[in-house]
Amino acid sequence: MTRLVLVGPPGAGKGTQAAALSEQLRIPHISTGDLFRAHVGQETPLGQEAKRYLDSGELVPDSVTNEMVRERLAEPDAKAGFLLDGFPRNTKQAEVLGEMLAAADTKLDAVIQLDVAEDVVVGRLMSRGRSDDTEEVIRRRQQVYVSETAPLLEYYAEILVKVDGVGEVQEISDRVLEALRDRT
Ligand code: AMP
């Protein structure tokens, strides 16, 4: 169980959970949000292009996102496994990811859905304080999740592992690890 994707609405705790799981499973945590924020912080050309999308809660165009992921997955530490957090975000990206993995003769092992009710996630985001956590941008990110990202749950139905995302960090990662074990 080494090639994994974590899906859930903004504020579901994907970043925190991905960090815990990547440590326990000893696979790199690859967050497209973190990669974009690093580019924005370093003011690279990619960062300059991505910034307005992050600031408004829209998705960065697939062409930019897919190439960034392709480069990251080509790094040696991702060869044996990875935990993707925030990618894919729509079915087109999922298709491209599938092609990238097929080209390397691999595929995803599981897609973990962190299940958290919408009123819970909005409350969490309001208290997080990231620069794109204003009420308007939060609302837009939720809409984008519902229209663009939630269809992935159907797309990945056969390898989907749904886990209750409410509780302590350790408690939730234990649930995920147990659910992954049950699948094998
Ligand atoms: P996150 O840290 O996952 O909440 O992502 C923050 C922002 O980065 C999102 O609101 C998007 O603007 C952008 N982003 C992250 N991942 C993707 C992706 N896979 N496709 C397009 N945009 C993304």
Side-chain angles (χ1 to χ4, degrees):
M1 282 295 159
T2 52
R3 293 186 179 84
L4 304 171
V5 165
L6 193 57
V7 181
K14 288 192 299 296
T16 308
Q17 205 39 242
L21 287 168
S22 90
E23 195 174 315
Q24 293 180 56
L25 295 168
R26 297 172 198 278
I27 48 177
H29 168 202
I30 301 177
S31 157
T32 42
D34 286 349
L35 292 173
F36 282 131
R37 283 184 287 276
H39 276 282
V40 170
Q42 290 159 18
E43 297 179 5
T44 67
L46 193 157
Q48 283 166 1
E49 184 174 356
K51 187 175 186 313
R52 64 192 166 105
Y53 298 99
L54 271 75
D55 286 347
S56 62
E58 302 295 331
L59 295 184
V60 178
D62 288 347
S63 54
V64 176
T65 307
N66 292 339
E67 286 320 301
M68 184 177 75
V69 171
R70 192 188 301 280
E71 284 179 19
R72 180 63 188 88
L73 288 181
E75 286 178 29
D77 68 329
K79 290 281 180 242
F82 51 77
L83 175 58
L84 278 169
D85 157 16
F87 182 91
R89 237 4 186 252
N90 60 34
T91 48
K92 190 69 208 144
Q93 293 181 2
E95 284 167 12
V96 171
L97 174 63
E99 287 162 13
M100 286 182 211
L101 295 176
D105 244 345
T106 60
K107 59 181 172 53
L108 289 179
D109 295 304
V111 172
I112 303 155
Q113 176 191 358
L114 270 192
D115 186 30
V116 181
E118 180 159 353
D119 52 338
V120 176
V121 297
V122 172
R124 283 189 192 171
L125 289 173
M126 293 299 284
S127 60
R128 189 168 68 174
R130 211 167 74 186
S131 68
D132 57 350
D133 285 340
T134 63
E135 194 174 344
E136 191 190 341
V137 178
I138 288 172
R139 205 172 301 124
R140 183 61 196 143
R141 294 213 312 272
Q142 297 296 339
Q143 286 169 351
V144 169
Y145 176 78
V146 170
S147 63
E148 299 279 321
T149 309
L152 288 179
L153 303 175
E154 184 67 29
Y155 182 88
Y156 285 129
E158 284 185 8
I159 53 167
L160 195 69
V161 172
K162 184 173 173 177
V163 174
D164 178 4
V166 180
E168 297 298 322
V169 175
Q170 184 64 45
E171 197 182 335
I172 300 165
S173 46
D174 285 347
R175 276 179 210 147
V176 172
L177 294 171
E178 198 183 317
L180 291 176
R181 265 196 305 273
D182 287 348
R183 285 195 75 253
T184 54

